[in-house]
């Protein structure tokens, strides 16, 4: 759709009125944890089992100015990791390039030599029995040896049983995975008081827009990295969040809701963070962000590239189609394709969630239909 056509619809005129409320410099009244605005955003991304793509990530760090990719994460890929029989870790990748532990160590050390910190993902939330542990104890010990040999110092965990074992039997630092699905500060207080080696908290995506929770968590743990996942499109309030973490997930498909409510509606009711919204989190002292590892991304960096390009260069060179098909994996065929900058004011505004995000879990679709109203307006423009 051409610019003059948008004007006929009143899109740009209305958008200008909304845009005046879009500044995010005043998202919080607290100055206790404000990060210097000149500080780069810090990203954690999946490590591909591909030397050329690791080189590409290193080049990105050299050439991009507004962020740095500090950490890479992954685990032993299938079929090598099949000895775990889907216990303890959710497989993040399938790779024939990693035939044995030596291959794995070579990829990790190659990435470390490029300056990346590597985090091993052992984050299945699945509880396990004593018999299961005894059966796989030797496999865990074998894994810990591999990690030591690779110079890995941090393990991401989502199960307190496993966290207890790692704390007692090893000296690895720990990360609390998003898959813990914790939703209040007290849960994290109890967890971090019990496990002193936790260096990083990965927030469950349902709380991405709960700024009251995030600010209080930051106050409670001023010296712990708090990392927010920016691009997983699972809908807010998905009842299958924990079972999604399983390698085999056919119990309930939340993406089926897209057919019932519509693509844009579903997407706006997710908790993704748009690239231009990162500053709101920096302003409350949170500057670590995680890009979700879609399986196909590990062979192309496709959606990571789109997201970070938008962070680095802004929205000027992106279209609406780019937003839904390159920055985020929504896959919508649009009838009209205006510039992304011309439709931003019709998307959910981060200031709304700074004010009301702590209420989303209890009032969404009851006392508040804000996201659906945004989706309705944008649907009229794009579809």
């Amino acid at each position: 759709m051409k610019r003059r056509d948008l004007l006929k619809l009143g899109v740009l005129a209305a958008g200008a009125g909304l845009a005046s409320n879009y500044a995010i410099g005043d998202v919080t009244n607290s100055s206790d944890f404000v990060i210097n605005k000149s500080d780069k955003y810090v990203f954690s991304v999946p490590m591909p089992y591909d030397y050329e793509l690791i080189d590409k990530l290193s080049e990105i760090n050299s050439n991009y100015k507004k962020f740095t990719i500090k950490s890479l994460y992954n685990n032993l890929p299938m079929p090598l990791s099949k000895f775990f029989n889907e216990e303890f870790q959710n497989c993040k990748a399938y790779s024939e390039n990693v035939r044995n532990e030596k291959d794995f160590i070579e990829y990790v050390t190659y990435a470390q030599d490029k300056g990346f910190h590597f985090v091993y993902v052992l984050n299945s939330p699945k509880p396990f029995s004593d018999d299961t542990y005894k059966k796989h104890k030797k496999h865990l010990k074998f894994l810990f040896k591999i990690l030591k040999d690779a110079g890995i110092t941090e393990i991401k965990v989502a199960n307190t049983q496993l966290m207890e074992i790692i704390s007692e039997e090893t000296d690895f630092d720990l990360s609390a995975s998003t898959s813990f699905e914790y939703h209040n500060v007290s849960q994290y207080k109890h967890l971090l008081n019990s496990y002193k080696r936790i260096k990083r908290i990965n927030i469950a995506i349902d709380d991405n827009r709960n700024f009251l929770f995030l600010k209080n968590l930051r106050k409670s743990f001023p010296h712990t990295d708090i990392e927010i996942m920016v691009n997983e499109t699972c809908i807010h309030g998905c009842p299958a969040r924990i079972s999604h973490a399983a390698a085999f997930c056919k119990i309930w498909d939340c993406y089926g809701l897209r057919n019932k409510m519509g693509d844009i509606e579903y997407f706006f009711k997710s908790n993704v963070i748009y690239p231009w919204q990162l500053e709101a989190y920096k302003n409350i002292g949170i500057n670590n962000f995680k890009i979700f590892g879609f399986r196909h991304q590990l062979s192309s960096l496709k959606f990571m590239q789109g997201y970070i390009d938008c962070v680095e260069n802004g929205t000027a060179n992106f279209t609406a189609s780019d937003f839904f098909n390159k920055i985020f994996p929504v896959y919508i065929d649009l009838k009209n394709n205006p510039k992304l900058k011309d439709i931003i004011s019709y998307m959910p505004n981060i200031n709304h969630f700074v004010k009301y995000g702590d209420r989303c879990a209890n009032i969404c679709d009851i006392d508040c239909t804000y996201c659906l109203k945004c989706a309705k307006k944008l649907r009229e423009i794009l579809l």
Side-chain angles (χ1 to χ4, degrees):
M1 181 177 286
K2 297 180 179 179
R3 184 178 178 88
R4 64 175 179 271
D5 296 324
L6 289 171
L7 286 169
K8 288 179 181 179
L9 287 174
V11 170
L12 297 182
L18 291 173
S20 64
N21 295 322
Y22 196 77
I24 58 176
D26 60 346
V27 293
T28 176
N29 293 323
S30 172
S31 59
D32 294 342
F33 300 100
V34 172
I35 294 172
N36 191 313
K37 288 185 180 294
S38 65
D39 288 350
K40 293 183 177 182
Y41 299 118
V42 178
F43 278 99
S44 173
V45 307
M47 187 192 77
Y49 288 110
D50 184 309
Y51 292 116
E52 290 185 3
L53 292 182
I54 295 174
D55 287 341
K56 174 65 175 177
L57 294 175
S58 180
E59 291 173 10
I60 287 171
N61 269 353
S62 297
N63 298 327
Y64 287 53
K65 306 303 181 184
K66 293 184 179 179
F67 65 86
T68 184
I69 299 172
K70 182 177 181 180
S71 300
L72 305 183
Y73 65 90
N74 213 320
N75 53 27
L76 290 178
M78 287 290 287
L80 178 61
S81 62
K82 64 182 178 181
F83 58 81
F84 272 137
N85 194 30
E86 299 183 7
E87 299 289 345
F88 309 129
Q89 73 176 42
N90 305 313
C91 181
K92 291 294 181 183
Y94 183 95
S95 177
E96 294 288 354
N97 295 334
V98 185
R99 297 157 296 180
N100 51 52
E101 63 271 21
K102 182 176 180 293
D103 291 337
F104 170 76
I105 291 173
E106 287 179 353
Y107 278 107
V108 172
T109 54
Y110 187 84
Q112 291 169 332
D113 289 343
K114 294 289 183 178
F116 296 110
H117 172 66
F118 183 84
V119 180
Y120 191 85
V121 181
L122 201 64
N123 70 333
S124 171
K126 178 183 176 182
F128 51 87
S129 67
D130 188 52
D131 288 342
T132 297
Y133 174 59
K134 289 178 180 177
K135 178 180 178 181
H136 291 286
K137 185 176 181 178
K138 62 181 179 181
H139 298 141
L140 272 177
K141 288 185 176 294
F142 174 62
L143 174 66
F144 295 153
K145 182 181 183 305
I146 293 174
L147 302 189
K148 282 292 184 183
D149 290 344
I152 295 168
T153 61
E154 182 177 347
I155 302 177
K156 190 184 302 292
V157 185
N159 179 306
T160 54
Q161 293 172 293
L162 194 53
M163 194 165 274
E164 185 74 18
I165 292 167
I166 294 172
S167 296
E168 289 182 351
E169 299 184 7
T170 77
D171 59 356
F172 291 108
D173 289 334
L174 297 167
S175 293
S177 169
T178 58
S179 296
F180 265 119
E181 288 296 317
Y182 285 172
H183 299 291
N184 64 66
V185 176
S186 293
Q187 288 174 305
Y188 283 108
K189 282 187 175 181
H190 296 319
L191 185 72
L192 270 71
N193 284 337
S194 299
Y195 303 103
K196 301 297 185 181
R197 296 211 302 270
I198 294 177
K199 305 299 183 183
R200 187 193 314 242
I201 296 170
N202 291 259
I203 301 301
I205 63 170
D206 268 8
D207 290 310
N208 277 9
R209 294 169 169 177
N210 185 345
F211 277 81
L212 176 62
F213 167 76
L214 294 174
K215 285 190 284 187
N216 284 334
L217 194 65
R218 177 76 288 169
K219 290 178 183 179
S220 298
F221 305 106
H223 305 298
T224 302
D225 284 343
I226 296 175
E227 190 171 86
I228 297 179
M229 185 152 54
V230 298
N231 66 328
E232 187 177 13
T233 58
C234 187
I235 193 169
H236 180 87
C238 172
R241 283 297 305 161
I242 292 178
S243 61
H244 280 334
F248 178 78
C249 180
K250 293 293 183 181
I251 297 173
W252 192 76
D253 178 15
C254 68
Y255 289 102
L257 292 175
R258 288 181 59 162
N259 298 326
K260 298 179 181 179
M261 66 172 57
D263 294 323
I264 298 177
E265 289 80 0
Y266 179 92
F267 179 68
F268 279 4
K269 285 172 68 65
S270 71
N271 284 281
V272 298
I273 299 170
Y274 311 144
W276 55 87
Q277 295 177 336
L278 299 182
E279 185 182 347
Y281 297 86
K282 180 187 282 190
N283 285 349
I284 61 169
I286 295 175
N287 198 40
N288 291 74
F289 304 97
K290 174 184 174 182
I291 292 182
F292 179 67
F294 303 101
R295 291 286 180 91
H296 49 280
Q297 177 184 302
L298 295 178
S299 61
S300 70
L301 307 182
K302 176 181 178 182
F303 291 105
M304 187 210 75
Q305 188 72 61
Y307 193 96
I308 63 175
D309 281 348
C310 192
V311 172
E312 180 73 11
N313 302 313
T315 61
N317 295 323
F318 288 90
T319 66
S321 180
D322 291 333
F323 180 78
F324 289 112
N325 298 289
K326 292 183 180 179
I327 297 175
F328 293 103
V330 187
Y331 305 116
I332 303 178
D333 292 325
L334 305 180
K335 182 179 179 181
N336 302 307
N337 189 26
K339 289 288 188 180
L340 175 57
K341 62 184 178 66
D342 290 335
I343 63 169
I344 284 178
S345 57
Y346 287 87
M347 299 180 186
N349 186 320
I350 197 66
N351 280 338
H352 173 86
F353 301 105
V354 170
K355 295 178 180 178
Y356 308 115
D358 58 304
R359 308 178 193 178
C360 289
N362 297 313
I363 68 172
C364 185
D365 288 348
I366 302 170
D367 296 321
C368 179
T369 57
Y370 171 71
C371 295
L372 293 179
K373 289 177 181 177
C374 291
K376 182 180 179 181
K377 291 177 183 178
L378 199 58
R379 177 174 286 278
E380 292 173 356
I381 297 167
L382 300 180
L383 300 179

